[in-house]
Amino acid sequence: MHSITLEELLKSRDERQEMQMRLLREHPQQTLLCLTVVVPGSVKRCDQSLTVAHAAVDALTQEFQPLPGHILERDLPTGYEAYLIVDCDKQEAKRRTCQIEDTHPLGRLFDIDVMASDGTPIARQSIGCEPRKCLLCDNEARYCMRNHTHSQEELWQKIDQMVEDFKESNKSH
């Protein structure tokens, strides 16, 4: 497992933003969805994060049925990224992605941004959705992240359990 530096993380964010802007320019009539995986710490690519990423792409593909050839996936040391171009109103897309994040067994680990034409993500609150909750308690996730309320070990135990439960439930189908 590759531990990434802050510099690598910041560079990957810049590259992701460049990719988003390029895709927005190339597809001005469609909606751009950008997926990343929420995992704590400096290891962003591991078996768990890839399981989560593939589950998210499956959920998004089922929900939106992107145009053929309009899913771009990047499996990077800084984490998995997927970009989907869909024919759907941006506000409606945001409602549907929030529904996926809030109801999928691994949805709490999905970070699905619906991009406005200026390259900024549409906020959950703008369509009446609640802020994301912490994995471990009822506080807002950003509150616990900012205050380091929980240890990385506690968070990883929860993530490992969620991924294991997801794999088990998919074996029985």
Side-chain angles (χ1 to χ4, degrees):
M1 287 193 282
H2 176 72
S3 186
I4 61 166
T5 64
L6 180 59
E7 188 176 278
E8 287 173 304
L9 183 66
L10 295 174
K11 183 176 184 264
S12 79
R13 283 187 185 161
D14 289 344
E15 289 171 358
R16 187 164 49 246
Q17 193 169 26
E18 287 172 24
M19 173 74 77
Q20 290 166 346
M21 294 310 294
R22 181 175 67 80
L23 291 169
L24 286 166
R25 280 191 306 275
E26 290 173 5
H27 304 278
Q29 303 307 313
Q30 280 88 26
T31 295
L32 172 62
L33 311 179
C34 179
L35 165 76
T36 54
V37 176
V38 179
V39 290
S42 60
V43 175
K44 299 297 182 188
R45 187 195 181 282
C46 57
D47 289 343
Q48 296 92 325
S49 69
L50 289 176
T51 297
V52 171
H54 295 300
V57 170
D58 289 347
L60 287 168
T61 302
Q62 286 176 352
E63 180 65 31
F64 289 98
Q65 296 164 349
L67 306 170
H70 283 78
I71 300 177
L72 173 63
E73 298 176 78
R74 299 175 69 203
D75 184 1
L76 306 168
T78 50
Y80 181 94
E81 302 172 359
Y83 305 85
L84 292 83
I85 306 293
V86 299
D87 270 324
C88 182
D89 169 73
K90 287 174 179 36
Q91 297 296 315
E92 176 62 19
K94 187 62 184 178
R95 274 189 283 285
R96 290 162 68 179
T97 59
C98 284
Q99 179 74 14
I100 292 168
E101 288 175 342
D102 293 344
T103 60
H104 190 284
L106 296 175
R108 185 54 201 83
L109 304 173
F110 303 168
D111 186 7
I112 310 167
D113 287 331
V114 176
M115 307 310 294
S117 24
D118 67 356
T120 59
I122 295 172
R124 291 173 67 88
Q125 290 82 338
S126 75
I127 57 146
C129 283
E130 294 287 314
R132 307 275 312 252
K133 294 280 188 209
C134 173
L135 271 179
L136 300 174
C137 71
D138 269 345
N139 290 328
E140 283 186 30
R142 64 177 164 233
Y143 172 85
C144 290
M145 277 177 30
R146 211 176 13 241
N147 294 307
H148 304 286
T149 307
H150 312 287
S151 71
Q152 282 190 26
E153 186 179 315
E154 288 174 294
L155 291 165
W156 273 109
Q157 284 176 348
K158 177 67 174 175
I159 291 167
D160 288 342
Q161 187 62 58
M162 290 169 72
V163 170
E164 265 324 295
D165 292 348
F166 178 74
K167 286 178 175 177
E168 277 304 310
S169 73
N170 280 350
K171 277 183 193 169
S172 58
H173 288 126

